[in-house]
Amino acid sequence: MISLLNLFGVFFRIGVFTFGGGQAMIPLLERDLVAHLRWVSMTEFLDFVAISEITPGPVAINMATFVGYKLRGLPGALITSLGVIMPSFIIILFIAIAAHTFRTNRWVSAFLDGLQPVVLALLVYAVFSIGRAGIPAWWGYVASAGILLLILKYGKRLNLFLTLLAAGGLGLLIFR
Amino acid sequence: MEQRKTIRYTAGHASLRKQLLLFWVFFAIGSFTIGGGYAMVLMMKRYLVERYHWLTDEEFYDMLAISQVTPGPIAVNMATFVGYTQGGIPGSALGTLGVSIPAIVVIIVIAVSFPGFRDNVWVQRFFAGVIVGVVAQITTVVLDLAKRQKWTIVSGFVCAVSLAILFFVRQVSPIWLILAGGIVGVIVEACRRRDREQSTGEA
């Protein structure tokens, strides 16, 4: 049986080396858990990824919980989730303690200004990749454009959580 | 700049009510993060910037960028940072727990009681619909960020090159793009500074 400490260690290490958001973690998890340690099979792994992508919460935490639960039940699920969260928690906490605000001097400020266009590009790419992976038919994009117009028109008066639930309801009706 | 004055950092001495609010806001955000990191950007912006004024616009977008060069999910990074600036270490722990608990609970429930979850047609259709909403929400953030960008030849070029790399090269980690963009920013600032010194030197 795999020890809890071992589980924690593996997920902590994955947490340390995942830059660029939770999605970036998937290839790393695959290499470690499927190819290297052989804790889960490839089919199971793909199943976990598919479910993690459509369930609430950061994908990295979903994945960790899945694998932990599969290997060691509830304690395993909690340990792996903790392991994957700890690195980013500690690092961001240090940043926050060191500087309450980012723009501490003009060079840092220039650096942050310089990467704003890159963030814009990343967001544009995210729209395309999420749409391509998750929207099964062209009328989904039409519906998406409609929701976009609603958000732009009604702005803050529109409850975003309800909008997502309504979009889900719409999905039940329009997707076959 | 005006907005910055309204933000107060209360790290270390926030009321219990505020700590619970931090937990609750991030719990709500975590509950609706569907489709990966960026899915939540609009909700986070709405709550953290516009509603509670825990971050300025600028800090919010800086934080998005910083999340790309530090490990971990964006939502967790955001929760830890905002939690700390607003409620000290307890606040950052509560925010991080809040954003993580929904993910953990949902997966355990699915693992325990719905083995066929993914194959259910209704589940698939519902979540395809949610993604439709998520795409619309991220697009509004794209528009907002494009609008507040100080467009210059350099920033336009950086944006276009990043897009080209993301779409056509694929296997590039965002971290390199982010670092390259930042270095371009520093070089631009250095050039501007030299120009300024030269012009004052001549005068």
Side-chain angles (χ1 to χ4, degrees):
Chain A
M1 191 140 81
I2 299 146
S3 78
L4 289 177
L5 197 67
N6 199 349
L7 267 181
F8 182 85
V10 165
F11 278 87
F12 188 88
R13 205 187 58 222
I14 290 170
V16 170
F17 288 107
T18 315
F19 294 91
Q23 236 84 1
M25 194 174 284
I26 291 170
L28 238 86
L29 282 168
E30 188 197 313
R31 202 190 57 202
D32 276 19
L33 301 174
V34 183
H36 209 227
L37 297 163
R38 295 171 190 279
W39 285 353
V40 285
S41 72
M42 194 63 200
T43 11
E44 264 180 321
F45 184 79
L46 291 177
D47 236 30
F48 289 172
V49 172
I51 295 175
S52 298
E53 275 171 353
I54 60 164
T55 45
V59 172
I61 302 176
N62 293 145
M63 288 298 291
T65 310
F66 245 128
V67 176
Y69 187 84
K70 194 219 155 206
L71 296 173
R72 286 298 307 267
L74 200 57
L78 296 180
I79 279 291
T80 50
S81 306
L82 197 66
V84 94
I85 295 165
M86 282 316 274
S88 60
F89 179 72
I90 294 168
I91 288 167
I92 298 289
L93 197 57
F94 271 113
I95 293 178
I97 290 171
H100 281 181
T101 184
F102 306 119
R103 304 218 167 213
T104 43
N105 75 53
R106 54 192 290 204
W107 296 109
V108 176
S109 206
F111 188 85
L112 290 169
D113 281 337
L115 48 78
Q116 291 298 325
V118 182
V119 174
L120 181 62
L122 289 170
L123 281 170
V124 171
Y125 184 68
V127 168
F128 278 92
S129 55
I130 293 173
R132 198 178 46 203
I135 299 181
W138 63 268
W139 53 87
Y141 291 96
V142 178
S144 199
I147 296 171
L148 173 65
L149 290 178
L150 274 180
I151 299 174
L152 291 179
K153 182 150 196 294
Y154 293 103
K156 287 175 189 164
R157 277 173 295 162
L158 203 66
N159 184 314
L160 296 174
F161 297 105
L162 291 181
T163 311
L164 282 191
L165 288 180
L170 188 69
L172 291 179
L173 297 174
I174 64 170
F175 292 126
R176 285 272 164 273
Chain B
M1 278 299 126
E2 204 52 43
Q3 203 188 4
R4 172 154 294 176
K5 288 177 192 153
T6 66
I7 295 179
R8 279 190 315 181
Y9 294 112
T10 55
H13 38 83
S15 64
L16 180 65
R17 198 161 160 268
K18 182 156 188 192
Q19 305 280 17
L20 291 178
L21 181 66
L22 279 168
F23 177 83
W24 170 245
V25 166
F26 281 103
F27 183 85
I29 289 172
S31 307
F32 281 82
T33 310
I34 297 169
Y38 286 124
M40 289 319 304
V41 280
L42 183 61
M43 272 185 217
M44 289 198 280
K45 188 165 181 293
R46 177 73 64 84
Y47 282 89
L48 307 180
V49 179
E50 286 154 20
R51 176 103 173 254
Y52 294 112
H53 303 293
W54 288 337
L55 287 174
T56 62
D57 243 20
E58 192 177 53
E59 284 172 325
F60 179 78
Y61 286 117
D62 286 348
M63 192 62 208
L64 272 188
I66 287 168
S67 291
Q68 295 294 335
V69 289
T70 55
I74 294 165
V76 173
N77 293 348
M78 203 67 103
T80 308
F81 185 82
V82 173
Y84 181 78
T85 56
Q86 296 302 315
I89 292 181
S92 67
L94 282 171
T96 306
L97 275 181
V99 89
S100 312
I101 285 175
I104 299 172
V105 170
V106 163
I107 295 299
I108 290 175
V109 168
I110 289 174
V112 173
S113 46
F114 302 108
F117 178 80
R118 187 166 85 87
D119 304 317
N120 185 307
V121 217
W122 296 103
V123 169
Q124 287 171 356
R125 287 178 193 166
F126 181 80
F127 284 108
V130 172
I131 295 295
V132 165
V134 164
V135 165
Q137 291 197 357
I138 308 177
T139 309
T140 63
V141 179
V142 168
L143 296 177
D144 179 61
L145 187 54
K147 209 159 45 187
R148 66 184 297 283
Q149 197 79 227
K150 293 168 214 133
W151 287 110
T152 61
I153 295 168
V154 177
S155 70
F157 182 73
V158 168
C159 186
V161 169
S162 310
L163 277 174
I165 292 174
L166 285 168
F167 277 97
F168 300 113
V169 188
R170 296 283 162 76
Q171 301 296 333
V172 174
S173 166
I175 188 173
W176 302 119
L177 294 178
I178 288 282
L179 290 177
I183 290 167
V184 169
V186 170
I187 293 171
V188 167
E189 175 69 16
C191 293
R192 203 180 287 155
R193 206 174 179 183
R194 206 191 49 203
D195 286 353
R196 216 178 293 141
E197 273 164 12
Q198 273 174 356
S199 59
T200 50
E202 283 161 17

